Amino acid sequence: MKKINIALLGASGSIGQNTLEVLRFHKDRFNLIAVSVHRNIKKLEEIIQEFKPRYAVITSEVNYSKKDIKILRGIDGLKEVAALPDVDTVVVATAGTVGVFPTINALRSGKRVALANKETLVSFGGIVKKIESESSGEIIPVDSEHSAIFQLFTRFEREEIQDIVLTASGGAFRNLSREDMKRVTMEDALKHPTWSMGKKITVDSATLMNKGLEVIEAYWLFSMDLEHIKVVIHPQSIVHGMLTLKDGAIVAHLSIPDMKIPIQYALTYPERIESPVKNLDLTEIKKLEFYEPDYNRFPLLKLAYDVLKDGGTMPAVMNASNEIAVYAFLDGKIGFLDIERVVFQTVEKHKIIYNPSLHDLLEADKWAREYANHLIQEISKEKN
Ligand SMILES: NC(=O)c1ccc[n+]([C@@H]2O[C@H](COP(=O)([O-])OP(=O)(O)OC[C@H]3O[C@@H](n4cnc5c(N)ncnc54)[C@H](OP(=O)(O)O)[C@@H]3O)[C@@H](O)[C@H]2O)c1
């Protein structure tokens, strides 16, 4: 069997490390050809030692050199490894909007993109999907909910499907009142009830922005009208996605919450093979609950639907301002509820551009970051 050659971007992160576990488990199936990290040279050294990739990309300014491996730099480095002739699949697991550049290059070079990076579809969905449709490349989703829907979607005819249902754990503050949310700390927000993930996405789960971003991702991945993309709160995170079919039947995808399952599926699709994850025992779980999301306590989820309806540059602006606000919260500069304040005010201030080019989207992203930073400074002044 020919081994699948992998470029893993964001190898030092949570998705990156889970991907390496999959590759370790299936040494006979995969070769790691290229990796990227931003700053984490210690992890890079470990990966080079174990997997011996031929290329390493470093996207920050940190100094690093090594014999017997080609070191590339920055976005150009990500783009270069994404298009290497002997790479079959590019796993895009970097944090932030930078993921769009290697994704586009990989698609144009006819690769499979195992896409974890949400920002790529949230901010640039229209452009990325157009490039995918014009190329021989393909996007296979890695986000667990979208992987679940993808696995179900391919089993039915389009006209048989009525709704996509994405599940949300509800995050760290599922049962908290708005009053109590005023006082939560960063440590509280990072206590995710069911998933172990990077810090940014864990805070996004606590605001339910993560689910909002996923609604937008689902819209682009499955070309489904927005009113047919539903969200339910499911605290156990066992059901990852469901389809409501035209006859009223619901089909669901269940597994223990472990990213190695969707990562592996994106690498092996359409084949399904043994994974390093233990099987789900429903008799242990016993109870599966589902609730309506509370848009009043978690207004960012509602905002995601609204900006997608607005269209144009609006989702990119929401995403960029959210990213800045979440990192400001993680740096202790603003409170938890200030995240939504920054995002709402940035979105309100933005002058939308319809049918944006990639350049327009990048400019809108840049503007949103600057404006969000300005708001954060104002909030910090208020506090002191
Ligand atoms: N974690 C999950 O379970 C999960 C699930 C679904 C989707 N996702 C999505 O997958 C992506 C990665 O999430 P994660 O939780 O794995 O994040 P993470 O743990 O924070 O890891 C991020 C990775 O990206 C690199 N990175 C950071 N800043 C970068 C920059 N400016 N340019 C290029 N690379 C950069 C990091 O390198 P250093 O370590 O060197 O800084 C690291 O390798 C996100 O878009 C997230 O929304 C994650």
Side-chain angles (χ1 to χ4, degrees):
M1 190 196 329
K2 182 191 170 292
K3 285 191 180 182
I4 299 172
N5 289 333
I6 307 278
L8 172 57
L9 312 182
S12 48
S14 168
I15 293 285
Q17 293 293 300
N18 274 299
T19 307
L20 292 175
E21 275 196 55
V22 172
L23 303 193
R24 205 172 275 131
F25 190 75
H26 290 295
K27 287 203 178 78
D28 54 327
R29 283 190 171 249
F30 302 112
N31 272 329
L32 187 61
I33 302 272
V35 292
S36 89
V37 301
H38 193 54
R39 287 208 165 79
N40 197 335
I41 296 300
K42 187 169 170 285
K43 280 257 163 69
L44 175 62
E45 283 279 350
E46 287 167 14
I47 297 167
I48 292 174
Q49 177 87 9
E50 181 180 356
F51 291 91
K52 311 215 166 8
R54 298 207 310 272
Y55 299 83
V57 184
I58 299 168
T59 41
S60 71
E61 298 299 317
V62 290
N63 281 329
Y64 184 70
S65 64
K66 181 139 190 114
K67 274 193 203 148
D68 302 328
I69 178 164
K70 189 162 178 196
I71 306 290
L72 301 167
R73 289 279 172 177
I75 290 176
D76 285 343
L78 296 178
K79 284 163 74 175
E80 185 174 335
V81 296
L84 287 172
D86 50 354
V87 163
D88 302 304
T89 298
V90 182
V91 181
V92 181
T94 50
T97 39
V98 73
V100 70
F101 299 104
T103 300
I104 287 176
N105 251 27
L107 290 173
R108 285 194 173 134
S109 312
K111 318 283 186 204
R112 170 174 295 185
V113 177
L115 186 61
N117 177 265
K118 289 175 207 268
E119 294 83 350
T120 294
L121 285 176
V122 171
S123 297
F124 309 100
I127 285 175
V128 169
K129 286 301 285 182
K130 183 163 182 291
I131 292 170
E132 184 194 26
S133 71
E134 291 165 357
S135 73
S136 57
E138 60 177 354
I139 295 175
I140 309 288
V142 165
D143 217 346
S144 57
E145 295 77 1
H146 304 78
S147 173
I149 299 294
F150 177 75
Q151 292 177 50
L152 299 168
F153 222 72
T154 43
R155 300 284 191 278
F156 296 94
E157 295 300 326
R158 189 51 200 259
E159 49 288 0
E160 294 175 315
I161 300 169
Q162 182 185 301
D163 291 326
I164 284 176
V165 185
L166 303 173
T167 55
S169 69
F173 306 138
R174 179 166 56 90
N175 294 319
L176 231 54
S177 66
R178 295 280 296 177
E179 203 44 41
D180 288 338
M181 282 184 210
K182 284 184 189 159
R183 286 179 285 277
V184 297
T185 64
M186 177 181 77
E187 288 74 24
D188 297 330
L190 290 177
K191 281 184 207 137
H192 195 283
T194 47
W195 290 95
S196 160
M197 308 182 285
K199 285 185 181 174
K200 153 79 170 48
I201 187 173
T202 305
V203 175
D204 282 343
S205 298
T207 61
L208 285 200
M209 180 80 274
N210 184 47
K211 212 47 55 181
L213 299 176
E214 289 180 5
V215 167
I216 301 177
E217 256 187 298
Y219 172 81
W220 290 114
L221 281 168
F222 305 109
S223 309
M224 199 80 178
D225 288 343
L226 203 45
E227 60 272 29
H228 292 291
I229 304 176
K230 306 269 162 80
V231 171
V232 294
I233 305 295
H234 167 47
Q236 291 80 15
S237 299
I238 295 295
V239 176
H240 304 299
M242 299 182 261
L243 293 181
T244 306
L245 302 174
K246 286 276 162 68
D247 61 0
I250 290 179
V251 289
H253 178 284
L254 289 74
S255 74
I256 64 163
D258 189 317
M259 287 308 294
K260 288 188 279 302
I261 296 178
I263 291 168
Q264 176 172 304
Y265 192 69
L267 300 182
T268 62
Y269 169 79
E271 216 184 329
R272 199 182 281 276
I273 56 173
E274 193 193 347
S275 87
V277 177
K278 77 173 175 113
N279 281 355
L280 169 65
D281 180 352
L282 282 173
T283 63
E284 254 176 44
I285 307 288
K286 294 193 169 50
K287 192 165 80 169
L288 298 176
E289 299 160 292
F290 302 92
Y291 305 101
E292 276 281 323
D294 182 342
Y295 295 104
N296 293 323
R297 279 190 305 128
F298 299 101
L300 287 174
L301 174 57
K302 168 81 170 45
L303 182 70
Y305 281 94
D306 291 342
V307 299
L308 189 54
K309 273 183 217 143
D310 293 339
T313 41
M314 222 36 142
V317 164
M318 181 193 71
N319 174 60
S321 58
N322 177 63
E323 198 174 310
I324 293 294
V326 170
Y327 283 116
F329 170 68
L330 286 169
D331 285 345
K333 290 183 187 154
I334 60 172
F336 180 72
L337 288 182
D338 292 328
I339 298 173
E340 66 184 45
R341 184 172 157 196
V342 169
V343 177
F344 270 93
Q345 288 186 13
T346 310
V347 163
E348 272 160 27
K349 185 82 181 171
H350 180 59
K351 290 196 180 62
I352 190 166
I353 299 173
Y354 294 101
N355 300 315
S357 63
L358 183 58
H359 176 76
D360 295 332
L361 288 165
L362 290 168
E363 284 298 307
D365 176 284
K366 189 166 157 243
W367 172 84
R369 282 167 203 275
E370 284 165 8
Y371 193 73
N373 270 319
H374 156 76
L375 292 173
I376 287 160
Q377 275 178 12
E378 297 291 306
I379 294 170
S380 303
K381 271 191 224 151
E382 262 172 39
K383 289 206 158 115
N384 295 323

